[in-house]
């Protein structure tokens, strides 16, 4: 790998290990994956980018789910990573993973989709997403975080996890929050894509997810051929933070059972 990467990215694990690309949710950064990724890094190369406007990657005025997916492909190019990756996405990250599948299918060996959605935004949802964007720009990210934190976690969430998630949300610049909210408003309908998925796919959901409920997981499990659904007890919308050890165990056991690192693009 040479030169400056297009996204701020943390790498854990040796570069020769099979690559796993983790895509974070809204409105947080790669840090949400760290507790789980640190447990996986002995066997996998864990690639943890910050999307534009999150963590340490500067914001861009115009973003969409498609541009985030292309940013990730650009990151793999800049890393000269030619092997197929296991693509792991949570919530907005899962929506981006489905878009990445449509645009960059040959780069994916397997997928892990967590607490996410497949539908296009509803008319009511588009209005609400614009309200969130305006709230971030006019009143700051904390105002948005305060409306999200209770629903993002299981009702009995650990206080330290709650403080950590609040801190990650509040660290996101308002421009990143606004761009992400508008990107979510404009997302495509991924329902038809579900039946086209032909890579091993693991679905992981928190039993107490109040944002993307288990009914969504059940539809995805039914539509994605051969998919496996794992439910994490005691977790809400962010199992890799709320139940990092169990999340890492489930992902690790499943990844060991799949070959996800065959060369692609003639490498
Ligand atoms: C996320 O965690 O990425 C968001 O909750 C996505 C959403 O609100 O749909």
């Amino acid at each position: 790998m040479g030169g400056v990467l297009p996204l701020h990215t943390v790498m854990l694990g040796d570069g020769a290990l099979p690559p796993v690309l983790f895509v974070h949710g809204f409105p947080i950064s790669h840090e949400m994956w760290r507790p789980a990724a640190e447990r996986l890094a002995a066997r996998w190369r864990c690639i943890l980018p910050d999307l534009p406007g999150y963590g340490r990657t500067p914001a861009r005025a115009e973003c969409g789910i498609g541009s985030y997916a292309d940013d990730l492909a650009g990151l793999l190019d800049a890393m000269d990573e030619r092997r197929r990756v296991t693509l792991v996405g949570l919530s907005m990250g899962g929506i981006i993973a489905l878009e990445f599948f449509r645009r960059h299918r040959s780069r994916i060996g397997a997928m892990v989709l967590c607490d996410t959605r497949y539908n296009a935004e509803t008319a009511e949802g588009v209005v609400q997403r614009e309200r969130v964007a305006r709230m971030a720009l006019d009143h700051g990210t904390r105002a948005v975080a305060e409306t999200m934190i209770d629903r993002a976690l299981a009702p009995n969430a650990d206080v330290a996890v709650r403080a950590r998630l609040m801190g990650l949300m509040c660290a996101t610049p308002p421009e990143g929050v606004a761009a992400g909210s508008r990107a979510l408003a404009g997302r495509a309908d991924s329902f038809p894509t579900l039946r086209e998925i032909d890579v091993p796919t693991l679905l992981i959901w928190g039993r107490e997810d109040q944002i993307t409920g288990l009914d969504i997981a059940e539809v995805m499990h039914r539509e994605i051929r051969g998919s496996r659904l794992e439910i994490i007890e005691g977790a809400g919308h962010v199992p890799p933070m709320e139940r990092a050890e169990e999340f890492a165990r489930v992902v690790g056991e499943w990844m060991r059972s799949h070959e996800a690192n065959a060369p692609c693009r003639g490498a």
Side-chain angles (χ1 to χ4, degrees):
M1 172 195 1
V4 178
L5 296 178
L7 302 175
H8 173 258
T9 303
V10 167
M11 318 266 188
L12 304 175
D14 190 273
L17 294 168
V20 184
L21 176 59
F22 292 84
V23 190
H24 62 76
F26 170 87
I28 47 181
S29 71
H30 79 274
E31 288 287 348
M32 61 155 287
W33 295 115
R34 199 182 270 277
E38 280 172 351
R39 292 172 160 90
L40 294 166
R43 289 189 67 131
W44 290 277
R45 171 68 149 176
C46 298
I47 305 165
L48 280 55
D50 288 330
L51 293 165
Y54 298 84
R56 289 169 58 191
T57 301
R60 234 189 3 229
E62 293 299 318
C63 288
I65 298 300
S67 70
Y68 291 146
D70 291 345
D71 288 332
L72 295 170
L75 172 67
L76 296 177
D77 285 342
M79 291 170 60
D80 201 23
E81 179 55 81
R82 291 169 176 274
R83 298 169 294 174
R84 291 178 191 266
V85 299
T86 295
L87 184 57
V88 184
L90 182 135
S91 198
M92 181 176 76
I95 293 169
I96 295 167
L98 291 169
E99 185 66 42
F100 190 100
F101 178 86
R102 286 191 286 273
R103 293 176 180 230
H104 307 288
R105 160 75 191 83
S106 67
R107 309 194 78 141
I108 305 181
M111 282 201 289
V112 180
L113 302 173
C114 321
D115 300 271
T116 190
R117 306 177 189 276
Y118 55 81
N119 67 311
E121 191 52 278
T122 60
E124 194 184 29
V126 169
V127 172
Q128 179 54 22
R129 299 275 184 201
E130 184 54 29
R131 256 188 225 128
V132 169
R134 286 279 18 130
M135 186 188 293
L137 294 172
D138 295 345
H139 304 288
T141 302
R142 177 169 290 276
V144 174
E146 280 167 358
T147 68
M148 286 187 71
I149 188 81
D150 287 335
R151 290 196 321 129
L153 295 167
N156 295 328
D158 186 275
V159 288
V161 170
R162 185 185 172 90
R164 179 93 186 109
L165 181 59
M166 192 68 184
L168 290 186
M169 287 183 183
C170 290
T172 302
E175 296 72 24
V177 178
S181 197
R182 289 170 176 155
L184 285 164
R187 69 184 186 264
D189 179 10
S190 292
F191 184 77
T193 304
L194 302 179
R195 286 204 173 171
E196 287 166 19
I197 294 176
D198 55 356
V199 296
T201 300
L202 171 65
L203 303 165
I204 306 188
W205 243 255
R207 165 83 67 196
E208 299 176 64
D209 187 339
Q210 305 170 65
I211 294 182
T212 47
L214 268 179
D215 51 327
I216 300 175
E218 279 154 13
V219 173
M220 293 180 76
H221 183 38
R222 188 188 70 216
E223 296 294 314
I224 303 175
R225 234 184 346 263
S227 60
R228 183 179 175 87
L229 172 59
E230 291 278 352
I231 295 170
I232 309 275
E233 301 296 335
H237 188 58
V238 275
M241 292 184 73
E242 298 173 87
R243 292 283 185 271
E245 191 173 341
E246 189 180 350
F247 182 88
R249 181 186 57 74
V250 168
V251 173
E253 284 176 7
W254 184 81
M255 286 198 300
R256 269 200 296 275
S257 66
H258 293 286
E259 287 294 326
N261 59 338
C264 65
R265 300 189 304 141

